[in-house]
């Protein structure tokens, strides 16, 4: 038997409604903040991620699904959404739209990761990008959207952690002292960290190897090296969060695994299992890095699988079929379909599509938990009346064989 590829999953018909609930809540939240949905390709030229996400990151070095297409071009399945959206922003001249350009998305992402609970190779992100403003108010807006969305889907047991990782100016000084710190024990670090020392020492702080994590204890923190502008920006963010009563902890350990971040970075961490369910930050250098104009931006993405694992027990039931119309013989199907067509504007209606016997139709209606059953036979058509039964209470009524009368009695049953 052929099995699904490692790190992927089937979202079966019984569970897709949970995903829809989250996605509907996301859409409503984003739209209430004035964001519109963007959809971009699943794959891009590899160079976009090498330059955008950074060629010393784990994502680019170890986790990308990269292949040559038939014309020999290097293609990568998107491991994240920000680089692609920035590419679309530049390529489509979206800087000529009212600024800031604010979009949201829900898209599958692909990373060749070590598969474990909460970590997949194909996973779904819901996120947003606000492009074109350097104001700390945009950082606040992103965090506020995230917070509102999590509340809307009843995820309360999360902690917001924030940090500032400065700008290229303050980072220069910081990287020198960090290099000195790491250099003292460089022989004990893993080979990846060793290779990152000269090119991108901050990535060493993001290493997942236990020994490197231990060696990194006591490393200098960027917060102590912020330039005046970055310091003020971070102070403004913290003050406004306080004013909005959004609780946070400053965590200097949050450096993020993608290279494009500047200034504010943040993560919402589940208190239940320690997973980061939503993460993001400012990326003021990315648009220029990808050959656009110097344009500041901020955004975040949430892992849908991780959100779902936190609300699994809390969610309401899947929708039910509210009416099943059973027919004694197939020549009553025309009437059944006519009634179903009108009623489907208001409720969920199913009819026989298997040419089943009357008894087999009743069995099926029972199995799917249909709430009401309408039976149509020759007599019913002749008299233009039929019996409708509430399957839960067993209560029965005679109704006229038209959509209005049937709908009224379903409402009366409730
Ligand atoms: P990220 O931190 O790489 O950021 O991913 C965001 C979220 O996606 C994570 O916090 C986590 O919930 C989820 N996630 C990441 N990898 C996996 C995985 N292998 N399996 C399941 N869930 C996963 C970004 O991707 C940035 N593009 C976010 C952003 C948008 N920053 C600014 N704008």
């Amino acid at each position: 038997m052929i099995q699904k590829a490692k790190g992927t999953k089937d979202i079966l018909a019984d569970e897709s409604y949970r995903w829809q609930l989250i996605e509907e809540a996301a859409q409503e939240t984003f739209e209430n903040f004035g964001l519109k949905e963007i959809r971009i390709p699943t794959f891009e030229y590899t160079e976009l991620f090498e330059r955008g996400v950074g060629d010393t990151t784990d994502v680019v070095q170890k986790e990308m699904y990269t292949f040559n297409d038939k014309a020999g071009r290097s293609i990568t399945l998107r491991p994240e959404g920000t680089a692609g959206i920035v590419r679309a922003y530049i390529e489509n001249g979206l800087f000529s739209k009212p600024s800031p350009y604010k979009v949201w998305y829900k898209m599958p992402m692909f990373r060749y990761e070590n598969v474990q609970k909460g970590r997949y190779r194909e996973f779904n992100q819901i996120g947003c990008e606000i492009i074109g403003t350097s104001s700390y108010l945009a950082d606040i807006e992103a965090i506020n959207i995230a917070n509102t969305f999590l509340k809307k889907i009843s995820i309360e047991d999360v902690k917001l952690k924030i940090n500032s990782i400065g700008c290229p100016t303050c980072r220069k000084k910081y990287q020198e002292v960090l290099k000195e710190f790491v250099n003292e024990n460089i022989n004990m670090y893993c080979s990846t960290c060793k290779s990152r020392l000269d090119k991108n020492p901050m990535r060493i702080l993001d290493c997942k190897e236990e020994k490197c994590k231990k060696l990194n204890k006591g490393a200098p923190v960027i917060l102590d090296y912020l330039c005046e502008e970055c310091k003020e920006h971070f102070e403004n963010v913290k003050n406004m969060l306080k004013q909005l009563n959004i609780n946070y902890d400053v965590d200097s350990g949050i450096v993020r695994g993608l290279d494009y971040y500047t200034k504010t970075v943040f993560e919402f961490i589940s208190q239940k299992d320690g997973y980061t369910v939503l993460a993001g930050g400012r990326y003021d250098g990315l648009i220029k890095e990808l050959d656009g104009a110097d344009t500041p931006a901020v955004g975040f993405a949430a892992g849908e699988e991780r959100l779902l694992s936190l609300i699994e027990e809390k969610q309401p039931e899947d929708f039910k079929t509210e009416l099943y119309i059973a027919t004694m013989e197939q020549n009553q199907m025309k009437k059944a379909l006519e009634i179903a067509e009108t009623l489907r504007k208001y409720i969920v209606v199913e009819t026989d599509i298997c040419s089943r016997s009357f008894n087999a139709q009743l069995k099926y209606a029972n199995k799917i938990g249909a709430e009401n059953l309408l039976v149509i036979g020759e007599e019913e058509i002749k008299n233009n009346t039929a019996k409708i039964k509430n399957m839960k209470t067993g209560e029965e009524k005679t109704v006229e064989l038209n959509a209005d009368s049937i709908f009224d009695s379903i409402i009366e049953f409730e």
Side-chain angles (χ1 to χ4, degrees):
M1 184 187 59
I2 299 172
Q3 298 188 330
K4 60 184 178 295
K6 190 173 173 189
T8 65
K9 68 205 155 302
D10 299 312
I11 300 167
L12 303 176
D14 282 350
E15 44 190 336
S16 55
Y17 76 99
R18 294 179 189 279
W19 294 73
Q20 289 160 356
L21 288 176
I22 290 191
E23 288 160 11
E24 279 161 19
Q27 176 161 3
E28 203 178 307
T29 310
F30 289 125
E31 286 181 355
N32 287 350
F33 278 85
L35 281 70
K36 291 184 178 154
E37 189 188 2
I38 189 167
R39 299 184 186 197
I40 54 165
T42 309
F43 56 85
E44 303 267 0
Y45 292 125
T46 304
E47 189 191 352
L48 174 72
F49 302 113
E50 285 170 348
R51 280 172 57 193
V53 173
D55 57 7
T56 52
T57 58
D58 275 355
V59 169
V60 170
Q61 285 187 333
K62 305 178 185 170
E63 297 170 1
M64 294 205 304
Y65 280 90
T66 298
F67 55 94
N68 281 350
D69 68 10
K70 290 192 195 319
R73 286 169 296 225
S74 183
I75 297 286
T76 292
L77 300 185
R78 67 175 171 234
E80 61 98 52
T82 311
I85 289 170
V86 166
R87 194 249 335 119
Y89 174 82
I90 300 167
E91 190 172 344
N92 295 291
L94 300 175
F95 34 80
S96 62
K97 300 260 179 205
S99 179
Y101 183 71
K102 304 188 289 185
V103 288
W104 73 275
Y105 53 91
K106 63 170 176 15
M107 317 194 275
M109 306 292 170
F110 307 87
R111 294 185 195 176
Y112 193 79
E113 296 239 38
N114 287 327
V115 177
Q116 47 187 281
K117 189 175 168 278
R119 201 168 279 283
Y120 304 95
R121 291 186 174 165
E122 182 185 14
F123 59 97
N124 292 275
Q125 279 188 349
I126 293 177
C128 72
E129 312 295 347
I130 302 172
I131 305 176
T133 164
S134 60
S135 168
Y136 73 94
L137 289 173
D139 309 26
I140 293 293
E141 182 94 332
I143 294 173
N144 203 4
I145 294 173
N147 198 44
T148 308
F149 168 52
L150 294 176
K151 276 209 180 120
K152 196 176 203 107
I153 54 174
S154 304
I155 293 187
E156 310 268 355
D157 199 16
V158 282
K159 184 95 219 156
L160 167 63
K161 298 203 167 179
I162 63 169
N163 190 23
S164 173
I165 55 169
C167 64
T169 312
C170 34
R171 232 177 265 170
K172 229 184 226 161
K173 212 165 36 163
Y174 172 64
Q175 283 182 337
E176 275 166 30
V177 285
L178 181 62
K179 254 186 192 171
E180 264 174 43
F181 172 87
V182 173
N183 237 334
E184 279 175 25
N185 295 309
I186 188 65
N187 290 333
M188 290 155 81
Y189 277 87
C190 72
S191 54
T192 311
C193 283
K194 280 180 190 144
S195 71
R196 289 171 176 174
L197 182 68
D198 283 325
K199 216 172 161 201
N200 195 346
M202 275 177 77
R203 280 272 70 81
I204 293 174
L205 299 175
D206 193 43
C207 183
K208 288 170 192 113
E209 295 254 347
E210 279 310 315
K211 65 172 181 180
C212 300
K213 278 192 202 163
K214 284 203 177 100
L215 289 166
N216 284 337
K217 282 209 172 112
V221 296
I222 179 109
L223 281 179
D224 296 334
Y225 294 85
L226 293 184
C227 64
E228 278 314 308
E229 190 198 317
C230 289
K231 222 185 260 174
E232 192 188 330
H233 188 98
F234 196 45
E235 285 308 311
N236 282 333
V237 168
K238 289 189 291 183
N239 284 337
M240 191 54 117
L241 286 178
K242 271 187 208 135
Q243 287 180 48
L244 293 176
N245 288 323
I246 298 178
N247 293 328
Y248 67 86
D249 282 346
V250 174
D251 183 343
S252 60
I254 293 188
V255 289
R256 312 283 300 120
L258 315 164
D259 269 356
Y260 47 62
Y261 289 108
T262 52
K263 293 186 175 164
T264 318
V265 286
F266 57 91
E267 295 189 354
F268 282 83
I269 296 170
S270 153
Q271 302 297 90
K272 186 176 145 199
D273 51 22
Y275 281 124
T276 303
V277 292
L278 184 153
R282 184 162 272 290
Y283 48 96
D284 289 347
L286 180 60
I287 291 120
K288 192 161 178 222
E289 172 61 37
L290 295 176
D291 304 326
D294 200 356
T295 313
V298 61
F300 69 79
E304 225 176 323
E305 288 75 6
R306 296 189 187 179
L307 296 174
L308 268 161
S309 76
L310 292 182
I311 53 175
E312 233 142 47
E313 305 101 48
K314 291 184 195 162
Q315 289 204 28
E317 288 220 329
D318 199 355
F319 69 80
K320 282 259 156 59
T321 295
E322 288 158 289
L323 178 68
Y324 187 88
I325 307 178
T327 49
M328 302 272 200
E329 288 103 24
Q330 290 207 9
N331 55 14
Q332 289 112 32
M333 273 314 289
K334 182 174 172 279
K335 188 76 183 168
L337 290 174
E338 271 170 20
I339 294 171
E341 187 185 347
T342 311
L343 283 174
R344 279 189 186 125
K345 290 177 196 141
Y346 317 105
I347 57 172
V348 183
V349 184
E350 285 192 63
T351 61
D352 177 40
I353 52 168
C354 302
S355 301
R356 281 185 169 127
S357 70
F358 178 64
N359 279 341
Q361 290 177 50
L362 298 190
K363 246 190 211 160
Y364 173 77
N366 255 320
K367 262 193 199 158
I368 60 167
E371 290 173 350
N372 298 287
L373 175 74
L374 180 80
V375 174
I376 306 181
E378 219 180 290
E379 280 296 300
E380 281 75 8
I381 298 222
K382 209 165 76 196
N383 301 333
N384 203 31
T385 57
K387 285 248 165 67
I388 184 165
K389 181 174 174 181
N390 181 310
M391 302 286 271
K392 219 185 198 167
T393 60
E395 193 183 342
E396 275 190 345
K397 270 189 184 161
T398 302
V399 288
E400 278 177 42
L401 214 42
N402 61 54
D404 281 355
S405 172
I406 296 163
F407 186 65
D408 284 348
S409 55
I410 289 175
I411 299 291
E412 278 166 28
F413 280 146
E414 280 171 8

